[in-house]
Structure formats: C-alpha cells, structure tokens
Amino acid sequence: MFLKGRARLALVALGWLMGAFLLAPTLIVFPIGLNDSRFVVMPDSLSALSLRHVTNVLTEPTWLTGVRDSLIVAVSTAILSTVIGVAFSIGVWRVKARWTMALTAILVAPMIVPPIISAVALYHMWTAIGLYDTWIGVILAHTIVAAPYSALTVSASLALLDPRLEQASRSLGASRLRTVADVILPNIKGGVAAGALFAFIMSWDELVLTLFVANRVVYTLPRKMWDGIRENVDPSVAAISALLVLLTISVLAITHFLKSTDPVRQSH
C-alpha cells in the first residue's frame, strides 16, 4: 500500500511537471506583454512593469481593425460551415448509399491536404475569378477548411440518433423539412453547436490561407500578429496573446459555471 501511494504521488507530481512544461510558453507572454520596453524582453523588476502595450492594443486602430475583421470572417465562416455541415451530414445519414462515402472523402479533403497547398491553389483560383483580397473570397476560403470539422461533428451526433424518430415523425404526417426542424435538429443541437465552435476557432486562428488570399482589404488579427513579429518584433503581440489567453480562460470559467448551475443538470 505504501509503494502504491508513493507511485500515485509520483504520477501526480509528474503530471503537474508536464502541465507546467506545456504551459510555460503560454504564460511567458504575460511578463513580456507587461514590460515597459519597446523590445521583446523580460522585465527585470516590478518597476519595469507597465500596461503600455496593453493600452496600445486596445486603442491602436490597426489592432482594433484586426479584431473586427477576424470576428466578421470567423462568425460568417461559422454560420456557412454549420449550414453546410448540417445539410451534408443529414443527407448522408438519411441516404446511406455507397456513393456517399465518395462525397464524404471530397468534403474532408481539405483536412488532409497541407494548408500551404490549399493556400496556393486558392490564391491562383481567387486571382483568376476576382475574389482575391475580398471579404467573400476570404470567408469562402476559410469555410472550405472549416466545413469538414463541422460536418464530422454533426455526423458524430447523428450516429447516436435513433432513425426510428424520423420514421415516426414521417408516419404521423410531418414533411421532411418539418421533421428536420422539429425532430432531428433538436436532438443534435449539441453537435451543431460544437461544429459551429470548431469552425469559428479554425477561422479565427487561420493564418496561412489569409496570407495568400488577402492583402489589405481584409486584415485579420493573425495577419496583424504575423506582421508584428516579422517586421519589428512588437511586444504588443505578447500583450494581445495574453489578452486572448485571459479571454479563453474567462469563457471556459463562465461555461463551467453555467453548467454547474443548470437546473436540468442538477435535477439529474
């Protein structure tokens, strides 16, 4: 028992060490983002700490433009990807024919092809048809990459849905559209929401495609951060990174709080 206790303690300590090792590169952005220097350095004392770069991120028009453009593109991509993913997944779930496997392979191809290849291909295509550096072009490019994640997430939820629910709805006189709206979608809303979230995150974090299909009309936050690192190593990049980490932690904390106070969950 004593040896088992020591082994368990050693595993816990090893887990904490691994967690600290993985979190160290993320946490290092906080002191760098709070330094008072124009360069990327660690503050050597408490007196060197400053909100200078945080204020710069929250007030400089180029940073605010990047956040605005990223939100517009990510939200639009999430909506389009969710619509495509839901329609495709329900169609494949209902038909269940051999040729649906080929359609699935085509849909998930952007997940397999390296991003640089997709970016170069879309650059040539968008330039040829006039979609280069346009809102529509960037949103469509992001949707091509994000839609497979939404479709696969919705398909996973549909795999757990009893087909007899649709049959019962149809036998009671409901149309196909009414069955989808009132029977299928309410039972897979968790998968739909997760797919939309995955699509939003993929678009929000996408850099390679944006570098190839946009220039200055659409100037997303990852593009701004890339320019800040490449041109002058701006410490504001560390400040915006720290703000994004805090935002992510806040969203996770709020989500956990809402789940813990959900009366439906508590009743179960």
Side-chain angles (χ1 to χ4, degrees), residues 25-179:
T26 301
L27 297 179
I28 204 69
V29 300
F30 285 92
I32 294 178
L34 294 176
N35 79 84
D36 193 34
S37 173
R38 295 188 298 108
F39 307 99
V40 178
V41 295
M42 291 287 291
D44 53 5
S45 64
L46 291 178
S47 60
L49 296 178
S50 171
L51 294 176
R52 167 185 176 182
H53 301 297
V54 176
T55 304
N56 180 53
V57 167
L58 297 177
T59 57
E60 186 178 342
T62 55
W63 285 108
L64 296 178
T65 299
V67 173
R68 182 203 65 188
D69 289 4
S70 288
L71 282 175
I72 294 174
V73 173
V75 171
S76 302
T77 299
I79 294 173
L80 284 177
S81 298
T82 302
V83 172
I84 295 173
V86 169
F88 178 85
S89 301
I90 292 178
V92 171
W93 177 73
R94 290 185 67 258
V95 175
K96 295 181 180 178
R98 292 184 177 180
W99 53 268
T100 58
M101 296 298 295
L103 289 179
T104 303
I106 294 174
L107 182 70
V108 302
M111 298 176 61
I112 303 172
V113 177
I116 186 65
I117 296 178
S118 300
V120 172
L122 288 173
Y123 166 75
H124 287 287
M125 182 180 295
W126 273 201
T127 303
I129 63 179
L131 290 180
Y132 175 75
D133 200 21
T134 63
W135 286 100
I136 296 177
V138 175
I139 292 172
L140 289 179
H142 284 210
T143 301
I144 292 173
V145 175
Y149 293 90
S150 179
L152 292 178
T153 305
V154 176
S155 296
S157 295
L158 284 170
L160 303 176
L161 182 65
D162 191 345
R164 290 176 296 182
L165 292 175
E166 181 193 16
Q167 297 171 6
S169 176
R170 294 286 292 156
S171 67
L172 293 174
S175 63
R176 295 185 185 276
L177 184 60
R178 186 69 180 271
T179 300

